[in-house]
Amino acid sequence: RATMKSLRFISAEVFVSNAEFARKSLSNVAHNLFPLLFKASYLLEQGEVIHDLVENWPLTDFNMGKLLGTTVDYQEDLSHRTCSVCLESCLTGLRDYVLNHPSPYVKRLKVVDLTGIKDAEVQFCECKKTMGRWARTQLLSKLCLELVVYLQQTQCNSGTFEISIDVLIDLFVTERNYDLVVQALLKKYCCPLKICCVAFRSDNLALQKFFYIIKLADPSLLRKLEIVHNVRLDMEHLEILFNSIHFPLLMSLTLPARTFNVQRFTATDERMLTNIGEKMGEMMQLTELSMPFSILTGRIQKLLSPLKTPLKMLDVSNCSLNHADMAYLASSFHANHLEALDLSGHNIPDLYPSIFFKLLSHSSSVLRSLTLEDCNIQDTHVNMLILSLSPCQKLQEFKFLGNPLSSQALKHLFTFLCELPMLKNVEFPVPRDCYPIGITYPIDDASLCRFDHQKYESVAEELNLILLQANREDVKASTPLFGSYDAAIQETNNELGAYLIKSFKETLEKFTTLNKMS
């Protein structure tokens, strides 16, 4: 559906569509029109105009989220367009703002906020080339270093050295861009563009390097920390991290798989876990916590009870929670504030159906996203599930891949889902009757695609028809077999694959050496 544009916005589009004319005329444009022209240029992918607008930016702040978000003149949100042409023009324009402005004394820009850019799976820009979080980290670091070198080698106007602009960014660091980002952070104080890391994600990085760069990134500013794939952080390292570095503003924490494993806990490990929980409570303002694939049986209360702020997002997928853990969650003060909850990998219907019902009833007034993948939800449990979800009238997203449900049960469930007024996204499993008889759950990767595709398409069509007949065309229903889209993995999958192959080879070599020794 086309979004209405004001006459002002249409005029701005006409103005920027002739790039040569627009660039020559910028000096005559009123300062308060720059934001309008920037959004129009971004929509039309006018890279040269974007560059010159940023290079001559007359205002004190430049906030990408606000500039591209819903505005009075054009309500469509463009912040999910990570168009390479537009973003590169924007960042090089920022560099040239420092270097090429004819009169540095009238420069007013103090803060550039790049954190409002959202990486999305579908891109609508014509160039079809995206600049993800990793590439933005890479380019900004490169431009900062270029600036430092240029300023050291060139006699610049003294006013250039007085420029100081805080650039707020979500950094994404892997082995491949580590050295570049470290150099940029080390030179921060002699660069007019000051990298201010608000969120930090690390994948494919040696632990020693992670500890070094996280200190350089200024943890006192950090609001979100994601340590995800191939960073070998265990509980001992986490305790060292929290004991040596303070994160006073940290609101969101994602830990790598298997950070905790209570199956092999000693008395020392119990003390460590208590200390980690206390540290999270003392020095952070956590509202989001993700710790998938850790074994936390019987320890959830120990870890979460010291938190002073209620959690709005909790991911404890595949954490082997027991009855006591679920009972704590359901009765804790977190339950009434949970907006996003992931309980995947737990046999909910058999182990704790009544407590699950209690947990959802407590969080129902705020719950927006619920993920129950591989939870052994069968046809006989659908009515119980419907009863549990009924109070969740604000639910926007429901994911339940990997559950052994028949096509008939899915139709029954979809008929109910149509009644949830805020629902926008549903991820449903391939129906059990599309797989060969005797398939066992959870389905292994090798068997995941071995189903009757024609029958699945027919069922998917019927499910979409149920939505259509209920006037719910606004609901997107899909079956992403290998999990939801992850922009970070998509952008760095080559490096991730290479890292996994390298790790496999190293393990194989060690195994071969041990065999020879024996």
Side-chain angles (χ1 to χ4, degrees), residues 50-65:
I50 288 171
H51 172 278
D52 287 13
L53 281 165
V54 178
E55 184 186 1
N56 296 283
W57 198 255
L59 308 171
T60 54
D61 75 312
F62 179 89
N63 186 315
M64 284 286 277

Side-chain angles (χ1 to χ4, degrees), residues 17-64:
S17 60
N18 184 336
E20 190 181 347
F21 171 76
R23 295 172 77 192
K24 284 178 183 174
S25 308
L26 278 185
S27 57
N28 300 317
V29 171
H31 292 179
N32 65 338
L33 292 177
F34 270 65
L36 178 72
L37 294 176
F38 180 80
K39 188 171 183 181
S41 303
Y42 205 95
L43 179 65
L44 299 179
E45 294 175 51
Q46 292 284 41
E48 291 177 333
V49 182
I50 288 171
H51 172 278
D52 287 13
L53 281 165
V54 178
E55 184 186 1
N56 296 283
W57 198 255
L59 308 171
T60 54
D61 75 312
F62 179 89
N63 186 315
M64 284 286 277

Side-chain angles (χ1 to χ4, degrees), residues 52-197:
D52 287 13
L53 281 165
V54 178
E55 184 186 1
N56 296 283
W57 198 255
L59 308 171
T60 54
D61 75 312
F62 179 89
N63 186 315
M64 284 286 277
K66 286 182 181 175
L67 290 167
L68 299 178
T70 300
T71 52
V72 175
D73 292 295
Y74 185 48
Q75 291 194 345
E76 187 173 342
D77 186 349
L78 303 180
S79 62
H80 58 275
R81 291 197 186 192
T82 53
C83 171
S84 185
V85 169
C86 296
L87 290 171
E88 187 169 345
S89 301
C90 195
L91 289 173
T92 52
L94 187 58
R95 174 200 61 198
D96 295 339
Y97 175 93
V98 174
L99 294 178
N100 299 338
H101 205 286
S103 176
Y105 300 104
V106 298
K107 292 183 181 177
R108 301 174 62 203
L109 188 58
K110 294 295 174 195
V111 179
V112 171
D113 191 340
L114 304 175
T115 62
I117 303 167
K118 306 179 191 88
D119 295 293
E121 183 174 5
V122 180
Q123 288 296 325
F124 295 97
C125 59
E126 283 184 24
C127 75
K128 300 298 178 191
K129 289 182 182 175
T130 62
M131 182 182 286
R133 183 174 169 185
W134 188 92
R136 296 194 293 272
T137 300
Q138 172 93 349
L139 182 58
L140 180 62
S141 301
K142 181 172 169 282
L143 293 175
C144 286
L145 286 173
E146 283 176 7
L147 259 180
V148 171
V149 171
Y150 184 84
L151 293 175
Q152 286 171 346
Q153 294 175 350
T154 315
Q155 279 199 328
C156 294
N157 190 310
S158 59
T160 304
F161 294 97
E162 292 170 17
I163 297 170
S164 178
I165 302 167
D166 288 338
V167 184
L168 278 58
I169 186 170
D170 299 339
L171 292 181
F172 182 13
V173 180
T174 65
E175 184 70 43
R176 198 153 51 99
N177 66 355
Y178 171 81
D179 290 333
L180 184 72
V181 181
V182 163
Q183 287 305 310
L185 291 172
L186 284 169
K187 305 276 188 192
K188 175 178 175 176
Y189 295 102
C190 54
C191 181
L193 299 178
K194 315 287 185 193
I195 294 177
C196 297
C197 179

Side-chain angles (χ1 to χ4, degrees), residues 193-238:
L193 299 178
K194 315 287 185 193
I195 294 177
C196 297
C197 179
V198 178
F200 185 95
R201 173 164 175 151
S202 176
D203 283 11
N204 310 324
L205 201 61
L207 206 54
Q208 193 176 357
K209 289 182 175 180
F210 167 73
F211 269 81
Y212 181 64
I213 198 167
I214 200 69
K215 287 178 182 177
L216 277 185
D218 191 357
S220 67
L221 299 174
L222 215 56
R223 294 181 183 276
K224 187 171 187 174
L225 176 60
E226 298 169 281
I227 314 161
V228 192
H229 300 291
N230 300 322
V231 181
R232 292 174 182 171
L233 183 90
D234 60 26
M235 192 171 65
E236 187 181 352
H237 303 128
L238 188 64

